[in-house]
Protein backbone atom coordinates (compact mmCIF):
# COMPACT_ATOMS: atom_id res chain seq x y z
CA UNK A 1 0.00 0.00 0.00
CA UNK A 2 1.12 3.58 -0.41
CA UNK A 3 2.25 5.53 2.61
CA UNK A 4 1.94 9.28 2.64
CA UNK A 5 4.71 11.11 4.53
CA UNK A 6 5.47 14.78 4.95
CA UNK A 7 9.00 15.35 3.71
CA UNK A 8 10.48 18.82 3.67
CA UNK A 9 6.99 20.27 3.45
CA UNK A 10 6.06 18.18 0.40
CA UNK A 11 3.13 15.78 0.21
CA UNK A 12 3.16 12.30 -1.08
CA UNK A 13 6.19 10.09 -0.48
CA UNK A 14 4.91 6.56 -0.90
CA UNK A 15 6.23 3.23 0.35
CA UNK A 16 4.63 -0.10 -0.51
CA UNK A 17 4.48 -3.66 0.69
CA UNK A 18 6.24 -5.48 -2.12
CA UNK A 19 4.05 -8.10 -3.71
CA UNK A 20 5.28 -11.29 -5.25
CA UNK A 21 5.51 -11.23 -9.04
CA UNK A 22 2.15 -12.13 -10.63
CA UNK A 23 0.29 -12.23 -7.34
CA UNK A 24 -2.92 -10.16 -7.40
CA UNK A 25 -3.29 -7.57 -4.64
CA UNK A 26 -6.08 -8.63 -2.28
CA UNK A 27 -6.79 -5.10 -1.00
CA UNK A 28 -6.51 -1.93 -3.07
CA UNK A 29 -6.81 1.39 -1.33
CA UNK A 30 -8.29 4.11 -3.44
CA UNK A 31 -8.80 7.83 -3.19
CA UNK A 32 -11.54 9.50 -5.23
CA UNK A 33 -11.96 13.25 -5.65
CA UNK A 34 -15.37 12.99 -7.37
CA UNK A 35 -18.80 12.10 -6.03
CA UNK A 36 -20.56 10.72 -9.11
CA UNK A 37 -20.64 7.44 -11.06
CA UNK A 38 -16.92 6.73 -10.54
CA UNK A 39 -17.47 6.70 -6.76
CA UNK A 40 -20.11 3.97 -7.20
CA UNK A 41 -17.87 1.90 -9.49
CA UNK A 42 -14.90 2.06 -7.09
CA UNK A 43 -17.14 1.37 -4.10
CA UNK A 44 -18.56 -1.81 -5.60
CA UNK A 45 -15.28 -3.25 -6.84
CA UNK A 46 -14.33 -6.37 -4.85
CA UNK A 47 -11.35 -5.83 -2.54
CA UNK A 48 -11.18 -2.05 -3.03
CA UNK A 49 -11.31 0.16 0.06
CA UNK A 50 -11.72 3.94 0.12
CA UNK A 51 -9.29 6.11 2.09
CA UNK A 52 -10.03 9.69 3.05
CA UNK A 53 -7.89 12.81 3.00
CA UNK A 54 -4.16 12.03 3.26
CA UNK A 55 -4.47 8.30 3.95
CA UNK A 56 -2.38 5.66 2.18
CA UNK A 57 -3.55 4.91 -1.37
CA UNK A 58 -2.68 2.73 -4.36
CA UNK A 59 -5.13 4.25 -6.85
CA UNK A 60 -6.25 7.85 -7.18
CA UNK A 61 -9.11 9.07 -9.37
CA UNK A 62 -8.35 12.73 -8.82
CA UNK A 63 -9.57 15.96 -10.33
CA UNK A 64 -7.12 18.14 -12.26
CA UNK A 65 -6.95 20.66 -9.40
CA UNK A 66 -5.59 18.00 -7.03
CA UNK A 67 -3.10 16.92 -9.68
CA UNK A 68 -1.84 20.48 -10.17
CA UNK A 69 -1.22 20.96 -6.44
CA UNK A 70 0.18 17.54 -5.53
CA UNK A 71 1.68 15.67 -8.47
CA UNK A 72 5.07 17.40 -8.55
CA UNK A 73 5.63 16.73 -4.84
CA UNK A 74 4.73 13.06 -4.99
CA UNK A 75 6.93 9.99 -5.15
CA UNK A 76 4.96 6.94 -6.28
CA UNK A 77 5.78 3.29 -5.92
CA UNK A 78 5.75 1.04 -8.99
CA UNK A 79 2.16 -0.19 -8.61
CA UNK A 80 0.47 3.16 -7.92
CA UNK A 81 -1.91 4.57 -10.58
CA UNK A 82 -3.42 8.06 -11.03
CA UNK A 83 -6.11 9.23 -13.47
CA UNK A 84 -4.32 12.05 -15.36
CA UNK A 85 -1.02 12.73 -17.08
CA UNK A 86 0.90 15.62 -15.56
CA UNK A 87 0.41 18.03 -18.49
CA UNK A 88 -2.83 16.60 -19.91
CA UNK A 89 -3.81 20.19 -20.83
CA UNK A 90 -1.57 20.06 -23.94
CA UNK A 91 -4.48 18.21 -25.56
CA UNK A 92 -7.42 19.38 -23.48
CA UNK A 93 -6.98 23.17 -23.43
CA UNK A 94 -8.51 24.50 -26.63
CA UNK A 95 -5.61 26.82 -27.51
CA UNK A 96 -2.87 24.24 -26.82
CA UNK A 97 -4.71 21.49 -28.71
CA UNK A 98 -4.81 23.68 -31.82
CA UNK A 99 -1.19 24.78 -31.39
CA UNK A 100 -0.03 21.14 -31.17
CA UNK A 101 -2.18 20.05 -34.12
CA UNK A 102 -0.88 22.91 -36.31
CA UNK A 103 2.71 22.06 -35.42
CA UNK A 104 2.13 18.35 -36.09
CA UNK A 105 0.54 19.14 -39.47
CA UNK A 106 3.56 21.30 -40.41
CA UNK A 107 5.96 18.51 -39.42
CA UNK A 108 3.99 15.99 -41.48
CA UNK A 109 4.02 18.26 -44.51
CA UNK A 110 7.79 18.69 -44.22
CA UNK A 111 8.55 15.01 -43.64
CA UNK A 112 5.83 13.15 -45.55
CA UNK A 113 4.30 15.62 -47.98
CA UNK A 114 1.09 17.58 -48.39
CA UNK A 115 -1.20 14.58 -48.86
CA UNK A 116 -0.22 13.09 -45.50
CA UNK A 117 -0.53 16.51 -43.82
CA UNK A 118 -4.06 16.88 -45.24
CA UNK A 119 -5.11 13.99 -42.97
CA UNK A 120 -4.94 16.57 -40.16
CA UNK A 121 -7.52 18.87 -41.75
CA UNK A 122 -10.20 17.97 -39.22
CA UNK A 123 -10.26 21.04 -36.98
CA UNK A 124 -11.88 24.36 -37.93
CA UNK A 125 -9.74 27.44 -38.71
CA UNK A 126 -8.79 28.70 -35.22
CA UNK A 127 -6.97 31.68 -33.68
CA UNK A 128 -5.99 32.42 -30.08
CA UNK A 129 -7.10 35.85 -28.85
CA UNK A 130 -5.84 38.34 -27.91
CA UNK A 131 -2.37 37.10 -29.02
CA UNK A 132 -3.33 36.32 -32.65
CA UNK A 133 -5.86 39.12 -33.06
CA UNK A 134 -4.13 40.70 -36.10
CA UNK A 135 -3.90 37.54 -38.18
CA UNK A 136 -7.44 36.63 -37.13
CA UNK A 137 -8.70 39.97 -38.51
CA UNK A 138 -7.00 39.28 -41.86
CA UNK A 139 -8.80 35.93 -42.12
CA UNK A 140 -12.07 37.44 -40.88
CA UNK A 141 -12.01 40.05 -43.65
CA UNK A 142 -11.42 37.41 -46.34
CA UNK A 143 -14.85 35.91 -45.73
CA UNK A 144 -17.25 38.73 -44.81
CA UNK A 145 -20.59 37.67 -43.33
CA UNK A 146 -19.39 34.29 -42.08
CA UNK A 147 -20.07 33.19 -38.52
CA UNK A 148 -17.37 32.65 -35.88
CA UNK A 149 -17.57 31.14 -32.41
CA UNK A 150 -15.66 32.40 -29.36
CA UNK A 151 -14.70 29.95 -26.60
CA UNK A 152 -12.69 30.50 -23.41
CA UNK A 153 -9.62 28.25 -23.60
CA UNK A 154 -10.01 26.62 -20.19
CA UNK A 155 -13.71 26.50 -19.35
CA UNK A 156 -16.19 23.69 -19.95
CA UNK A 157 -19.92 22.91 -20.15
CA UNK A 158 -20.54 25.69 -22.67
CA UNK A 159 -19.61 28.48 -20.24
CA UNK A 160 -18.51 31.77 -21.83
CA UNK A 161 -19.21 30.68 -25.44
CA UNK A 162 -20.83 33.03 -27.97
CA UNK A 163 -21.19 33.40 -31.75
CA UNK A 164 -20.40 36.59 -33.66
CA UNK A 165 -20.29 38.08 -37.15
CA UNK A 166 -18.92 41.56 -36.39
CA UNK A 167 -15.51 42.61 -35.08
CA UNK A 168 -17.13 45.07 -32.68
CA UNK A 169 -18.51 42.06 -30.75
CA UNK A 170 -14.97 41.04 -29.72
CA UNK A 171 -13.52 44.50 -29.10
CA UNK A 172 -12.31 43.43 -25.62
CA UNK A 173 -9.83 41.03 -27.26
CA UNK A 174 -8.37 43.61 -29.63
CA UNK A 175 -4.59 43.71 -29.53
CA UNK A 176 -3.64 46.79 -31.50
CA UNK A 177 -1.96 49.13 -29.03
CA UNK A 178 -5.07 51.32 -28.62
CA UNK A 179 -5.62 50.35 -25.01
CA UNK A 180 -4.73 53.13 -22.59
CA UNK A 181 -2.04 52.78 -19.93
CA UNK A 182 -4.74 52.29 -17.27
CA UNK A 183 -6.32 49.48 -19.30
CA UNK A 184 -2.93 47.84 -19.79
CA UNK A 185 -2.45 47.79 -16.03
CA UNK A 186 -5.78 46.05 -15.54
CA UNK A 187 -6.02 42.29 -15.44
CA UNK A 188 -5.43 40.71 -18.84
CA UNK A 189 -8.55 39.71 -20.72
CA UNK A 190 -9.23 35.95 -20.50
CA UNK A 191 -7.72 33.96 -23.39
CA UNK A 192 -10.24 32.75 -25.95
CA UNK A 193 -10.12 30.88 -29.22
CA UNK A 194 -11.98 32.33 -32.20
CA UNK A 195 -13.00 29.47 -34.45
CA UNK A 196 -14.79 29.44 -37.79
CA UNK A 197 -18.27 28.19 -36.97
CA UNK A 198 -19.42 25.12 -38.90
CA UNK A 199 -22.47 26.63 -40.58
CA UNK A 200 -23.63 23.41 -42.30
CA UNK A 201 -23.88 20.82 -39.50
CA UNK A 202 -25.50 17.45 -40.21
CA UNK A 203 -29.04 17.68 -38.84
CA UNK A 204 -31.43 15.00 -37.61
CA UNK A 205 -35.06 16.16 -37.35
CA UNK A 206 -33.75 19.67 -37.95
CA UNK A 207 -31.52 19.60 -34.88
CA UNK A 208 -27.78 19.94 -34.48
CA UNK A 209 -25.84 17.31 -32.49
CA UNK A 210 -22.30 16.35 -31.64
CA UNK A 211 -20.73 13.05 -30.60
CA UNK A 212 -19.13 12.24 -27.26
CA UNK A 213 -16.60 9.44 -27.69
CA UNK A 214 -14.30 7.94 -25.04
CA UNK A 215 -10.61 7.17 -25.60
CA UNK A 216 -8.38 5.70 -22.89
CA UNK A 217 -4.61 6.27 -23.06
CA UNK A 218 -2.45 4.12 -20.79
CA UNK A 219 0.92 5.21 -22.22
CA UNK A 220 2.28 7.90 -24.54
CA UNK A 221 5.71 6.35 -25.07
CA UNK A 222 4.95 4.00 -26.69
CA UNK A 223 1.47 5.31 -27.49
CA UNK A 224 -1.19 2.85 -26.34
CA UNK A 225 -4.80 3.92 -26.88
CA UNK A 226 -8.17 2.20 -26.48
CA UNK A 227 -11.49 3.21 -28.07
CA UNK A 228 -14.80 2.56 -26.30
CA UNK A 229 -17.65 1.05 -28.37
CA UNK A 230 -20.37 3.04 -26.62
CA UNK A 231 -20.81 6.79 -26.67
CA UNK A 232 -23.65 9.11 -27.54
CA UNK A 233 -24.91 11.93 -29.72
CA UNK A 234 -25.98 15.05 -27.81
CA UNK A 235 -28.76 17.00 -29.52
CA UNK A 236 -29.79 20.61 -29.16
CA UNK A 237 -33.37 21.08 -28.01
CA UNK A 238 -34.24 23.66 -30.69
CA UNK A 239 -34.27 23.43 -34.48
CA UNK A 240 -31.10 24.71 -36.16
CA UNK A 241 -31.05 28.13 -37.77
CA UNK A 242 -28.32 30.66 -38.52
CA UNK A 243 -30.77 33.54 -38.15
CA UNK A 244 -30.56 33.34 -34.33
CA UNK A 245 -26.87 33.26 -33.46
CA UNK A 246 -27.57 34.42 -29.89
CA UNK A 247 -29.70 31.38 -29.01
CA UNK A 248 -27.55 28.90 -27.06
CA UNK A 249 -30.25 26.22 -27.22
CA UNK A 250 -29.82 26.14 -31.01
CA UNK A 251 -26.03 26.13 -31.25
CA UNK A 252 -24.61 24.48 -28.10
CA UNK A 253 -25.24 20.77 -27.54
CA UNK A 254 -23.74 20.61 -24.02
CA UNK A 255 -26.17 18.89 -21.65
CA UNK A 256 -25.34 21.54 -19.02
CA UNK A 257 -26.77 24.15 -21.43
CA UNK A 258 -29.68 22.12 -22.87
CA UNK A 259 -31.10 21.05 -19.51
CA UNK A 260 -31.82 24.71 -18.66
CA UNK A 261 -34.07 24.99 -21.75
CA UNK A 262 -37.71 25.70 -20.76
CA UNK A 263 -39.00 22.67 -22.70
CA UNK A 264 -36.24 20.21 -21.71
CA UNK A 265 -37.62 16.80 -20.71
CA UNK A 266 -35.23 15.05 -18.28
CA UNK A 267 -36.80 11.63 -18.95
CA UNK A 268 -36.46 11.96 -22.71
CA UNK A 269 -33.18 13.88 -22.54
CA UNK A 270 -31.31 14.96 -25.66
CA UNK A 271 -29.15 11.88 -26.30
CA UNK A 272 -28.96 8.99 -28.70
CA UNK A 273 -26.73 6.01 -28.00
CA UNK A 274 -23.88 5.62 -30.51
CA UNK A 275 -25.36 2.32 -31.78
CA UNK A 276 -28.65 4.06 -32.56
CA UNK A 277 -26.84 6.82 -34.48
CA UNK A 278 -24.74 4.36 -36.46
CA UNK A 279 -27.87 2.38 -37.43
CA UNK A 280 -29.65 5.58 -38.49
CA UNK A 281 -26.72 6.78 -40.63
CA UNK A 282 -26.26 3.34 -42.20
CA UNK A 283 -29.95 3.12 -43.13
CA UNK A 284 -29.79 6.57 -44.69
CA UNK A 285 -26.37 6.58 -46.40
CA UNK A 286 -25.37 2.92 -46.76
CA UNK A 287 -22.78 0.70 -45.09
CA UNK A 288 -19.70 1.83 -47.05
CA UNK A 289 -20.28 5.59 -46.60
CA UNK A 290 -20.72 5.15 -42.86
CA UNK A 291 -17.69 2.83 -42.67
CA UNK A 292 -15.61 5.60 -44.29
CA UNK A 293 -17.01 8.18 -41.86
CA UNK A 294 -16.04 6.09 -38.83
CA UNK A 295 -12.55 5.51 -40.28
CA UNK A 296 -12.17 9.28 -40.53
CA UNK A 297 -13.29 9.62 -36.90
CA UNK A 298 -10.64 7.01 -35.91
CA UNK A 299 -8.08 9.13 -37.78
CA UNK A 300 -8.99 12.13 -35.58
CA UNK A 301 -8.26 10.17 -32.39
CA UNK A 302 -4.92 8.85 -33.60
CA UNK A 303 -3.61 12.07 -35.17
CA UNK A 304 -4.59 14.21 -32.19
CA UNK A 305 -2.82 11.84 -29.78
CA UNK A 306 0.27 11.67 -32.02
CA UNK A 307 0.32 15.49 -32.12
CA UNK A 308 1.00 15.61 -28.36
CA UNK A 309 2.94 12.35 -28.00
CA UNK A 310 6.31 14.10 -27.63
CA UNK A 311 4.87 16.92 -25.52
CA UNK A 312 2.96 14.99 -22.85
CA UNK A 313 5.18 13.92 -19.97
CA UNK A 314 4.89 10.14 -20.09
CA UNK A 315 4.67 8.44 -16.71
CA UNK A 316 3.92 4.76 -16.09
CA UNK A 317 1.73 5.71 -13.11
CA UNK A 318 -0.66 7.74 -15.28
CA UNK A 319 -3.62 6.96 -17.49
CA UNK A 320 -6.25 9.27 -18.96
CA UNK A 321 -9.85 8.79 -20.04
CA UNK A 322 -10.52 11.48 -22.66
CA UNK A 323 -13.95 12.64 -23.81
CA UNK A 324 -13.74 13.61 -27.49
CA UNK A 325 -16.36 15.96 -28.98
CA UNK A 326 -16.87 15.40 -32.72
CA UNK A 327 -19.25 17.29 -35.02
CA UNK A 328 -20.45 16.02 -38.40
CA UNK A 329 -21.21 18.40 -41.27
CA UNK A 330 -23.72 17.91 -44.11
CA UNK A 331 -21.07 16.17 -46.20
CA UNK A 332 -20.50 13.64 -43.38
CA UNK A 333 -17.07 15.10 -42.69
CA UNK A 334 -16.15 14.77 -38.98
CA UNK A 335 -14.64 17.79 -37.18
CA UNK A 336 -12.78 17.75 -33.87
CA UNK A 337 -14.37 20.35 -31.60
CA UNK A 338 -12.47 19.65 -28.39
CA UNK A 339 -11.02 17.00 -26.08
CA UNK A 340 -11.98 16.85 -22.39
CA UNK A 341 -9.63 15.67 -19.63
CA UNK A 342 -12.53 15.33 -17.19
CA UNK A 343 -15.51 14.23 -19.28
CA UNK A 344 -18.71 14.46 -17.25
CA UNK A 345 -19.31 11.28 -15.28
CA UNK A 346 -22.57 12.58 -13.82
CA UNK A 347 -25.52 10.76 -15.37
CA UNK A 348 -28.43 12.60 -16.99
CA UNK A 349 -30.68 9.47 -17.06
CA UNK A 350 -30.62 5.79 -16.08
CA UNK A 351 -29.41 4.83 -19.56
CA UNK A 352 -26.62 7.40 -19.29
CA UNK A 353 -25.67 6.08 -15.83
CA UNK A 354 -25.47 2.50 -17.13
CA UNK A 355 -23.22 3.55 -20.02
CA UNK A 356 -20.86 5.50 -17.75
CA UNK A 357 -20.80 2.71 -15.17
CA UNK A 358 -19.76 0.16 -17.83
CA UNK A 359 -17.19 2.59 -19.26
CA UNK A 360 -15.55 3.18 -15.88
CA UNK A 361 -15.66 -0.47 -14.88
CA UNK A 362 -13.85 -1.38 -18.13
CA UNK A 363 -11.35 1.46 -17.58
CA UNK A 364 -10.44 -0.14 -14.23
CA UNK A 365 -10.17 -3.55 -15.90
CA UNK A 366 -7.55 -2.13 -18.31
CA UNK A 367 -5.64 -0.22 -15.62
CA UNK A 368 -5.59 -3.67 -13.98
CA UNK A 369 -4.55 -3.04 -10.38
CA UNK A 370 -5.41 -6.69 -9.67
CA UNK A 371 -3.03 -8.17 -12.30
CA UNK A 372 -5.69 -10.16 -14.10
CA UNK A 373 -4.58 -9.38 -17.68
CA UNK A 374 -1.65 -10.70 -19.72
CA UNK A 375 -0.92 -7.35 -21.41
CA UNK A 376 -1.52 -8.84 -24.87
CA UNK A 377 -5.28 -8.25 -25.01
CA UNK A 378 -6.79 -6.46 -28.02
CA UNK A 379 -10.16 -6.13 -26.34
CA UNK A 380 -11.22 -5.65 -22.73
CA UNK A 381 -14.98 -5.31 -22.19
CA UNK A 382 -16.23 -2.43 -24.33
CA UNK A 383 -12.71 -1.16 -25.11
CA UNK A 384 -10.82 -2.11 -28.29
CA UNK A 385 -7.09 -1.48 -28.55
CA UNK A 386 -6.75 0.82 -31.58
CA UNK A 387 -3.08 1.86 -31.32
CA UNK A 388 -0.13 0.07 -29.75
CA UNK A 389 2.99 1.84 -31.01
CA UNK A 390 1.29 1.50 -34.41
CA UNK A 391 -2.16 0.64 -35.76
CA UNK A 392 -3.85 -2.46 -34.32
CA UNK A 393 -5.82 -4.74 -36.64
CA UNK A 394 -8.54 -7.26 -35.92
CA UNK A 395 -7.47 -10.89 -35.74
CA UNK A 396 -9.90 -11.74 -38.53
CA UNK A 397 -8.48 -10.83 -41.96
CA UNK A 398 -11.04 -10.24 -44.71
CA UNK A 399 -10.26 -12.30 -47.79
CA UNK A 400 -10.27 -9.87 -50.67
CA UNK A 401 -9.23 -11.02 -54.12
CA UNK A 402 -7.29 -13.84 -52.54
CA UNK A 403 -5.25 -11.61 -50.23
CA UNK A 404 -5.77 -10.72 -46.58
CA UNK A 405 -7.06 -7.17 -46.03
CA UNK A 406 -6.12 -5.54 -42.72
CA UNK A 407 -9.09 -4.20 -40.76
CA UNK A 408 -8.69 -1.61 -37.99
CA UNK A 409 -9.51 -2.92 -34.53
CA UNK A 410 -12.13 -0.22 -33.85
CA UNK A 411 -15.84 -0.80 -33.31
CA UNK A 412 -17.39 2.54 -32.36
CA UNK A 413 -21.17 2.22 -32.33
CA UNK A 414 -21.04 -1.57 -32.88
CA UNK A 415 -22.48 -4.25 -30.60
CA UNK A 416 -20.97 -4.14 -27.11
CA UNK A 417 -21.30 -7.70 -25.77
CA UNK A 418 -18.86 -6.85 -22.99
CA UNK A 419 -20.25 -9.07 -20.24
CA UNK A 420 -19.70 -12.25 -22.24
CA UNK A 421 -16.26 -11.11 -23.37
CA UNK A 422 -15.16 -10.20 -19.84
CA UNK A 423 -16.26 -13.58 -18.47
CA UNK A 424 -14.04 -15.34 -21.00
CA UNK A 425 -11.15 -12.91 -20.54
CA UNK A 426 -10.72 -12.19 -16.85
CA UNK A 427 -9.58 -14.44 -14.07
CA UNK A 428 -11.74 -14.00 -10.99
CA UNK A 429 -10.85 -11.26 -8.52
CA UNK A 430 -8.47 -12.39 -5.74
CA UNK A 431 -10.53 -14.46 -3.31
CA UNK A 432 -13.41 -14.94 -5.79
CA UNK A 433 -14.40 -18.11 -7.60
CA UNK A 434 -15.23 -18.02 -11.31
CA UNK A 435 -19.00 -18.24 -11.77
Amino acid sequence: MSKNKQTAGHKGAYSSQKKKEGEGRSCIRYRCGLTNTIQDVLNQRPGWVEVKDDGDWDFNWCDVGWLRENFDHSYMEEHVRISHFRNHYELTRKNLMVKNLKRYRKTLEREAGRLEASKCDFFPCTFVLPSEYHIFVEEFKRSPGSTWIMKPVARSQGKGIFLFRKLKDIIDWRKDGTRSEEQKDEAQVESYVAQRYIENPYLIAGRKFDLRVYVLVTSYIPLKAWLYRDGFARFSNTRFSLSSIDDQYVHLTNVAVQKTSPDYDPEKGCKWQMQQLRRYLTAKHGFETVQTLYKEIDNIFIRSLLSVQKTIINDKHCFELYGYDILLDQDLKPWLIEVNASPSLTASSQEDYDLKYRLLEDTLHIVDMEDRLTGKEKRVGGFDLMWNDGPVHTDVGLETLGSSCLVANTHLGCVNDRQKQLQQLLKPFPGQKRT
Side-chain angles (χ1 to χ4, degrees):
M1 304 304 140
S2 61
K3 182 69 184 167
N4 203 337
K5 296 174 184 169
Q6 295 291 338
T7 53
H10 292 310
K11 284 184 177 181
Y14 302 107
S15 67
S16 78
Q17 298 168 359
K18 298 291 180 197
K19 66 187 182 79
K20 291 175 192 160
E21 197 61 44
E23 182 189 302
R25 222 173 261 98
S26 58
C27 174
I28 289 151
R29 296 186 182 188
Y30 72 86
R31 188 190 171 283
C32 184
L34 304 174
T35 54
N36 47 37
T37 318
I38 183 60
Q39 183 74 55
D40 295 347
V41 174
L42 291 164
N43 235 337
Q44 290 166 36
R45 201 160 176 90
W48 288 50
V49 180
E50 184 172 14
V51 294
K52 295 290 187 187
D53 303 322
D54 283 344
D56 309 349
W57 53 267
D58 306 299
F59 179 93
N60 190 347
W61 195 288
C62 66
D63 58 43
V64 292
W66 186 95
L67 185 90
R68 198 166 45 242
E69 287 170 27
N70 297 280
F71 192 94
D72 289 342
H73 314 307
S74 300
Y75 166 72
M76 295 183 221
E77 285 290 348
E78 183 81 18
H79 71 281
V80 169
R81 293 290 177 270
I82 189 163
S83 63
H84 295 287
F85 285 90
R86 172 66 188 86
N87 58 339
H88 60 85
Y89 45 77
E90 291 286 349
L91 183 60
T92 58
R93 273 180 74 121
K94 299 173 189 76
N95 56 335
L96 296 178
M97 178 188 88
V98 168
K99 182 189 84 172
N100 285 312
L101 280 168
K102 284 179 177 175
R103 186 183 58 207
Y104 177 66
R105 186 167 60 189
K106 242 178 220 168
T107 305
L108 275 182
E109 188 165 347
R110 195 173 59 244
E111 293 176 0
R114 195 164 288 176
L115 185 64
E116 191 65 17
S118 71
K119 291 175 184 170
C120 292
D121 292 340
F122 50 69
F123 57 100
C125 180
T126 306
F127 299 90
V128 180
L129 302 188
S131 61
E132 295 180 329
Y133 183 81
H134 289 315
I135 51 173
F136 161 69
V137 169
E138 284 173 28
E139 183 62 35
F140 181 88
K141 287 177 175 170
R142 275 192 206 112
S143 47
S146 59
T147 310
W148 293 76
I149 186 165
M150 281 282 274
K151 304 174 185 179
V153 300
R155 288 201 253 169
S156 60
Q157 298 187 317
K159 295 186 189 91
I161 295 178
F162 62 93
L163 275 63
F164 70 98
R165 291 193 182 120
K166 297 189 172 103
L167 285 176
K168 69 177 175 58
D169 294 335
I170 59 159
I171 201 157
D172 289 347
W173 288 269
R174 188 167 61 189
K175 194 191 180 197
D176 58 3
T178 58
R179 299 175 90 202
S180 67
E181 286 307 312
E182 294 81 43
Q183 285 174 311
K184 282 177 185 171
D185 289 340
E186 286 172 20
Q188 274 291 304
V189 68
E190 183 180 0
S191 280
Y192 265 62
V193 291
Q195 201 166 63
R196 191 183 289 282
Y197 186 62
I198 292 162
E199 296 179 327
N200 63 332
Y202 190 99
L203 305 178
I204 295 180
R207 286 164 175 76
K208 178 181 170 179
F209 64 93
D210 71 357
L211 310 181
R212 167 55 59 87
V213 187
Y214 298 100
V215 173
L216 173 65
V217 175
T218 50
S219 164
Y220 269 98
I221 300 174
L223 180 61
K224 191 167 187 179
W226 302 76
L227 175 62
Y228 207 63
R229 295 184 174 206
D230 298 343
F232 47 85
R234 302 178 299 187
F235 285 82
S236 63
N237 214 29
T238 309
R239 291 177 74 85
F240 183 78
S241 160
L242 280 172
S243 60
S244 52
I245 64 169
D246 295 331
D247 189 339
Q248 286 199 312
Y249 301 126
V250 171
H251 300 285
L252 302 187
T253 58
N254 312 62
V255 175
V257 171
Q258 291 298 326
K259 70 182 182 188
T260 63
S261 167
D263 52 352
Y264 177 76
D265 177 356
E267 284 308 304
K268 206 166 116 211
C270 289
K271 291 180 179 177
W272 272 15
Q273 295 299 308
M274 192 65 74
Q275 285 81 354
Q276 188 181 354
L277 180 73
R278 189 161 185 157
R279 282 196 303 272
Y280 174 89
L281 293 173
T282 303
K284 198 157 181 187
H285 301 283
F287 177 79
E288 283 187 17
T289 301
V290 173
Q291 193 83 331
T292 302
L293 164 66
Y294 277 82
K295 269 187 196 164
E296 287 175 5
I297 294 174
D298 291 347
N299 174 65
I300 291 177
F301 305 139
I302 298 303
R303 300 282 176 177
S304 58
L305 293 172
L306 288 173
S307 79
V308 295
Q309 184 184 21
K310 292 174 181 169
T311 312
I312 297 270
I313 301 162
N314 192 55
D315 187 318
K316 64 189 172 195
H317 301 102
C318 303
F319 66 94
E320 191 108 34
L321 180 64
Y322 293 109
Y324 273 76
D325 292 344
I326 307 282
L327 182 75
L328 309 183
D329 69 17
Q330 276 171 357
D331 304 320
L332 281 185
K333 173 180 169 66
W335 295 89
L336 174 60
I337 302 304
E338 66 178 300
V339 185
N340 298 276
S342 303
S344 169
L345 301 176
T346 304
S348 55
S349 66
Q350 186 59 47
E351 186 179 48
D352 197 41
Y353 178 85
D354 294 342
L355 184 156
K356 286 170 178 171
Y357 194 98
R358 296 191 299 266
L359 165 76
L360 293 166
E361 206 171 40
D362 291 346
T363 298
L364 295 186
H365 290 326
I366 288 175
V367 173
D368 194 29
M369 296 296 292
E370 301 94 349
D371 288 321
R372 298 196 295 163
L373 301 178
T374 65
K376 294 178 181 167
E377 292 80 5
K378 283 187 175 181
R379 181 183 174 191
V380 176
F383 275 110
D384 297 288
L385 183 61
M386 66 172 164
W387 194 268
N388 190 12
D389 205 15
V392 178
H393 301 106
T394 57
D395 293 325
V396 185
L398 292 182
E399 293 302 319
T400 314
L401 301 172
S403 66
S404 181
C405 171
L406 295 173
V407 180
N409 189 45
T410 54
H411 305 277
L412 181 60
C414 297
V415 175
N416 185 4
D417 53 340
R418 62 183 284 278
Q419 211 57 51
K420 183 178 161 194
Q421 197 267 344
L422 287 170
Q423 279 172 353
Q424 293 167 350
L425 177 74
L426 296 174
K427 337 186 255 212
F429 282 105
Q432 271 195 335
K433 288 181 181 169
R434 190 183 283 279
T435 52

